Amino acid sequence: MKTGHPQLDGQGNLKHFLTIEGLSRALLVEILDRSEGFLGVTLQAVKKVPLCRGKVVANLFFETSTRTRTTFELAAKRLSADVLNLNISTSATAKGETLLDTLRNLEAMQVDMFVVRHPSSGAAHFIAAHAAPHVSVINAGDGRYSHPTQGMLDMLTIRRHKGDFANLRVAIVGDILHSRVARSQIAALNILGAAEVRVIGPRTLIPAFAEEALGVRVFHDLREGIRDVDVIIMLRLQRERMTNALLPSEHEYFQLYGLTAERLGVAHPEAIVMHPGPINRGVEIESQVADGPRSVILEQVTNGIAIRMAVMSMCIGTQNIAMQADGKTDGETNG
Amino acid sequence: MAEVDRISIRGGRLIDPANRLDREVDIHLADGRVLAIGEAPPGFEPERVLDARGLIVCPGFVDLSARLREPGLEQKATIASETRAAAASGITTLCCPPDTSPVIDTPAVAQLIQQIAQRHGFARVVPAGAMTRDLDGKQITEMAALKLAGCPVLSQADRSIRNAQVQRRAMEYAATFGLTLFLHPQDPDLTSGGCAHEGRVSARLGLPGIPEAAETVAVARDLALAGQTGARIHFRGLSTARATVMLAAARGRGVQASGDVAIHQLFLTEDDLDGFDANCHLVPPLRTRADRDALRHALAAGEIGAICSDHQPHDADAKLLPFPETAPGISGLETLLPLALRLVTEGVLDLPGVVARLTVGPAEILGLDLGHLSPGATADVCIFDPNDGWIPTPETLLSHGENSPFLHTQMHGRVMATFLDGRIVFERASDR
């Protein structure tokens, strides 16, 4: 039974941020515009605004992460929220009830927002479906499905360099099959109206039916795929892909799909190079490119804080609207 | 349960596909057998007369796969709870796969299950014995002993044998004793780690996929081995269009193979995974609309001779997890009939066709003399109202498993009474 949109309230405000799929272009633009405002805050001497004062944010990480967790923590603190960090190991025995029990315990501590990372696709939807009604859930990466704040920070980075999305050609290179980052980027680019989204990789790393299912063009040759593109997004290659017959070796992968300065020459002369990090130098990208003038990789990190501030403040804002509405309704019924 | 030996069921529309019978006629039961159709023999005095006007009277349903979870998984369900749910659903015979704990790999476990079922008396439980010890896929079981202990068929439940040589030997040994093998046609390596059909929806949702080839590879191997060994095999739970074509072609060549389909595969597709509804997590997975349509076609054409519930009751916790981590399966006994009747409204089969695939079709696959109402036959009878509307909810379900994507949806068709061996094992309180 699907009742309504899983992440919007009745008025179309963002209640949870689970996925980019199904959101309107206007809402994505609102997130980007709001983030631009927060980019200013991050440059101030006093880097705090009071939008989430008195709110408690719990970072609930069932998968290890340094960068994403840290930027969420910084974002919450700059919004003046209190932050709890919980790293929960997911050994095969310590799952299941633990997940819901953890949730209930934190709710009992009056947590207002969960920032969740989990190894299973759909985990954020599951948690949002079972969280208390006043709680917001932000997906910090679930399995292979979605990493929406990463998708949006990449859109912010692209917009700051390229302006409009309408004429953009974007290529995403690497392990699309296992990548929640790629799925979120593709959804965002399609909603924002990019001219063309390409994915590039060997068949073992491209999902079946990718063209129709995701709305992309598939290339298996790097040079062909990045020809004339405006944006190249390199994905991180997990080393365990070598052990399960998906790839023969890092060497051959770099030979075929590694981004070198020489290969970058076939892209548009002003093409930017992005990477969600952490980088495997010499596996998917050459240091000369990663550290070169076309690389915007470190900007992505800065933009990540602003995007997370935007999304968190929007969800908390929706909570506040709901509380006021409840208050008004009570007043009416009592009066 | 009233101890009544002589019963007349009057005025119902009697549908007995095995005897090509479909008309309004009385039926009389005595001493656990069908005594007569039409006029009662002179001097017959029923102890009970049921008014079945406006209702369908047919053989009790035979379900080729229903997990009862006992012994070993009683936190999910018990033989008592699930056979009671079966009786209320018109199902008089059900075949339980061997993946109990302990596994049904010895006569003792097979007999235990039948004894518990007989003690409760709601439905006839036919255990499928294991093909290999502890379902390990390596060492074949004492198949002759399992047959003597009441297992007409053998199976690996969903733990398919990887080694083709072991599979071949199991087929040969089973064929020696005329045992049919119920095969789960899913290649274990191609299935491993997957939780959704590898297609458009899994690509978008990032769910680890199970390719169509997981089924076709297994079907191709097992059809080849059945042709080689002369064994009789049955594919439990087909899910792909291509496999139905392969099955039909092999049957045309004389391979002794049959197939069934789980009722939910005839209605749900991969699209139902949107929103990550854990109740739609199934093995084999829900596939494409084209696959669903092909399954319906194969069913209508008679290439698939049986519909089963593929009942898999779970405790609530088994589904309270992110989608890929949930236990697969639907609690399906109680929606089997109303969903099957939807095939009539949707023009897939006529009513006798539906009844055939719930009765004589599966009974023949099991090799049991059940599923028909010839005079002298076992008096397993179902009386149902095809139009009665109802909505399944956790409160209405008798099964301990409440895991169904069909909860809170409108159903039409309800069982009014069920007879097992001539005894009333279920009767709905009626305001008629």
Side-chain angles (χ1 to χ4, degrees):
Chain A
M1 283 170 301
K2 287 134 219 167
T3 45
H5 198 287
Q7 48 191 353
L8 302 180
D9 74 358
Q11 281 70 51
N13 301 308
L14 202 62
K15 165 83 194 291
H16 307 292
F17 195 43
L18 309 176
T19 175
I20 290 170
E21 270 195 308
L23 296 179
S24 66
R25 183 189 293 209
L27 187 59
L28 298 194
V29 169
E30 186 188 344
I31 293 171
L32 295 176
D33 290 347
R34 199 182 262 247
S35 304
E36 292 279 0
F38 286 125
L39 275 177
V41 174
T42 62
L43 301 174
Q44 289 166 14
V46 180
K47 297 183 173 60
K48 280 206 178 191
V49 290
L51 286 170
C52 297
R53 181 176 291 155
K55 299 287 183 177
V56 181
V57 175
N59 279 329
L60 203 53
F61 276 59
F62 294 87
E63 220 179 49
T64 52
S65 153
T66 311
R67 183 174 325 216
T68 302
R69 191 189 54 69
T70 311
T71 53
F72 266 111
E73 184 175 350
L74 268 177
K77 285 182 171 165
R78 286 183 184 168
L79 292 167
S80 310
D82 294 320
V83 183
L84 295 170
N85 284 315
L86 295 111
N87 292 313
I88 301 147
S89 76
T90 45
S91 69
T93 50
K95 57 185 183 182
E97 283 169 310
T98 312
L99 176 51
L100 277 190
D101 284 348
T102 308
L103 210 62
R104 296 280 171 261
N105 277 289
L106 289 165
E107 280 171 1
M109 296 174 207
Q110 317 299 324
V111 166
D112 300 284
M113 177 178 286
F114 291 115
V115 175
V116 187
R117 169 167 289 193
H118 195 282
S120 292
S121 302
H125 277 73
F126 170 77
I127 289 170
H130 291 89
H134 65 275
V135 172
S136 290
V137 176
I138 294 185
N139 188 358
D142 63 334
R144 307 175 181 181
Y145 176 50
S146 180
H147 191 355
T149 58
Q150 177 73 45
M152 289 309 295
L153 76 86
D154 293 329
M155 295 310 110
L156 182 60
T157 309
I158 293 172
R159 194 175 79 167
R160 287 177 71 83
H161 282 270
K162 300 289 175 189
D164 193 19
F165 287 87
N167 298 313
L168 281 188
R169 289 201 185 107
V170 181
I172 306 173
V173 186
D175 184 359
I176 312 296
L177 179 66
H178 299 91
S179 179
R180 55 196 175 208
V181 172
R183 284 186 178 78
S184 291
Q185 290 164 339
I186 292 165
L189 286 165
N190 282 328
I191 292 168
L192 290 168
E196 191 181 340
V197 184
R198 304 174 177 183
V199 298
I200 306 167
R203 287 177 189 272
T204 47
L205 299 181
I206 306 283
F209 305 100
E211 301 216 336
E212 336 160 36
L214 304 178
V216 294
R217 278 184 70 189
V218 174
F219 290 80
H220 302 300
D221 181 274
L222 181 70
R223 279 174 191 279
E224 216 180 294
I226 63 173
R227 180 156 294 132
D228 300 328
V229 298
D230 305 287
V231 178
I232 302 172
I233 302 175
M234 302 303 293
L235 297 175
R236 177 179 167 75
L237 187 73
Q238 306 285 335
R239 287 215 152 81
E240 68 256 30
R241 304 293 173 236
M242 305 300 159
T243 57
N244 44 14
L246 289 163
L247 289 175
S249 68
E250 288 182 1
H251 174 76
E252 179 153 309
Y253 184 77
F254 186 71
Q255 288 296 312
L256 297 173
Y257 298 104
L259 189 61
T260 61
E262 185 264 323
R263 287 172 180 169
L264 187 52
V266 303
H268 188 279
E270 284 166 32
I272 56 170
V273 176
M274 301 170 64
H275 191 299
I279 303 171
N280 290 315
R281 290 168 188 266
V283 178
E284 66 254 357
I285 192 164
E286 189 179 61
S287 287
Q288 201 190 329
V289 176
D291 306 328
R294 315 275 279 282
S295 165
V296 296
I297 295 172
L298 290 175
E299 276 176 52
Q300 289 174 267
V301 180
T302 310
N303 291 343
I305 300 170
I307 284 285
R308 283 157 189 148
M309 288 176 76
V311 170
M312 287 173 141
S313 63
M314 285 167 77
C315 290
I316 292 287
T318 304
Q319 288 184 7
N320 291 340
I321 295 168
M323 278 168 60
Q324 283 164 12
D326 283 354
K328 206 181 287 173
T329 318
D330 285 352
E332 280 167 8
T333 14
N334 295 341
Chain B
M1 269 159 280
E3 291 298 325
V4 179
D5 283 335
R6 294 186 301 282
I7 294 153
S8 288
I9 302 165
R10 290 198 177 142
R13 175 178 165 193
L14 188 73
I15 299 180
D16 181 15
N19 290 304
R20 297 176 187 281
L21 194 68
D22 177 8
R23 64 187 162 97
E24 260 179 39
V25 65
D26 299 347
I27 176 168
H28 313 278
L29 315 177
D31 302 320
R33 301 268 156 192
V34 175
L35 180 67
I37 308 282
E39 291 287 308
F44 179 72
E45 283 182 22
E47 293 159 276
R48 173 101 196 259
V49 175
L50 271 90
D51 176 9
R53 280 175 298 172
L55 303 178
I56 309 291
V57 180
C58 68
F61 305 137
V62 178
D63 190 348
L64 291 181
S65 185
R67 255 84 169 185
L68 309 174
R69 305 301 192 193
E70 185 180 352
L73 290 161
E74 289 86 351
Q75 80 277 13
K76 292 185 187 288
T78 63
I79 292 173
S81 69
E82 303 315 288
T83 52
R84 188 164 162 248
S89 313
I91 300 163
T92 46
T93 300
L94 36 83
C95 181
C96 73
D99 55 350
T100 47
S101 179
V103 162
I104 310 175
D105 58 0
T106 58
V109 181
Q111 284 159 353
L112 173 74
I113 289 170
Q114 292 170 89
Q115 282 161 9
I116 296 171
Q118 280 157 14
R119 191 165 77 232
H120 294 291
F122 292 114
R124 183 180 300 105
V125 174
V126 176
M131 290 162 63
T132 60
R133 281 189 201 164
D134 206 28
L135 300 172
D136 70 359
K138 291 174 183 151
Q139 175 62 50
I140 61 170
T141 52
E142 295 179 351
M143 295 181 181
L146 286 168
K147 185 182 181 185
L148 283 175
C151 302
V153 301
L154 300 176
S155 137
Q156 279 288 112
D158 56 7
R159 293 174 224 170
S160 312
I161 296 176
R162 268 195 171 80
N163 184 314
Q165 182 73 306
V166 175
Q167 181 84 338
R168 173 206 168 172
R169 296 301 184 206
M171 283 189 190
E172 287 173 338
Y173 197 71
T176 312
F177 309 103
L179 284 158
T180 299
L181 296 176
F182 275 25
L183 304 175
H184 173 72
Q186 304 296 327
D187 179 88
D189 295 309
L190 288 171
T191 308
S192 173
C195 63
H197 171 63
E198 186 173 305
R200 292 162 189 81
V201 176
S202 69
R204 195 162 53 72
L205 298 183
L207 292 170
I210 300 174
E212 176 197 57
E215 182 161 304
T216 52
V217 163
V219 166
R221 179 192 76 167
D222 292 340
L223 286 173
L225 291 173
Q228 172 89 37
T229 59
R232 200 190 173 293
I233 62 170
H234 173 74
F235 293 119
R236 256 279 22 269
L238 291 172
S239 71
T240 64
R242 219 175 283 269
T244 64
V245 174
M246 294 161 74
L247 173 62
R251 284 159 65 94
R253 291 194 304 272
V255 176
Q256 295 192 74
S258 54
D260 72 50
V261 60
I263 185 74
H264 40 258
Q265 293 280 2
L266 299 169
F267 296 96
L268 304 173
T269 67
E270 58 177 345
D271 294 324
D272 292 290
L273 267 49
D274 235 335
F276 299 101
D277 181 355
N279 282 324
C280 291
H281 179 193
L282 299 170
V283 177
L286 294 170
R287 298 203 184 265
T288 65
R289 198 169 282 260
D291 287 311
R292 184 197 65 182
D293 293 345
L295 292 170
R296 288 177 164 206
H297 180 78
L299 191 70
E303 290 297 343
I304 292 179
I307 305 170
C308 74
S309 71
D310 199 13
H311 180 64
Q312 298 183 43
H314 284 296
D315 51 316
D317 286 345
K319 293 286 188 185
L320 279 177
L321 292 162
F323 185 95
E325 296 168 37
T326 54
I330 288 178
S331 177
L333 291 175
E334 288 157 272
T335 47
L336 176 62
L337 174 65
L339 288 176
L341 292 173
R342 260 188 217 174
L343 296 171
V344 179
T345 35
E346 296 185 13
V348 178
L349 289 168
D350 58 12
L351 189 50
V354 164
V355 172
R357 282 151 189 83
L358 292 171
T359 57
V360 63
E364 281 177 355
I365 290 165
L366 277 174
L368 299 178
D369 182 22
L370 295 168
H372 63 90
L373 296 173
S374 316
T378 303
D380 293 351
V381 181
C382 169
I383 304 175
F384 68 89
D385 180 342
N387 303 314
D388 192 6
W390 63 290
I391 293 173
T393 65
E395 294 72 38
T396 65
L397 291 185
L398 293 173
S399 167
H400 283 183
E402 295 169 0
N403 48 300
S404 168
F406 299 106
L407 289 187
H408 309 291
T409 61
Q410 181 68 48
M411 297 284 153
H412 290 281
R414 266 187 133 175
V415 173
M416 306 309 290
T418 306
F419 294 83
L420 174 69
D421 285 322
R423 286 179 302 115
I424 293 195
V425 289
F426 173 77
E427 189 168 12
R428 185 172 305 282
S430 159
D431 48 24
R432 281 158 56 89

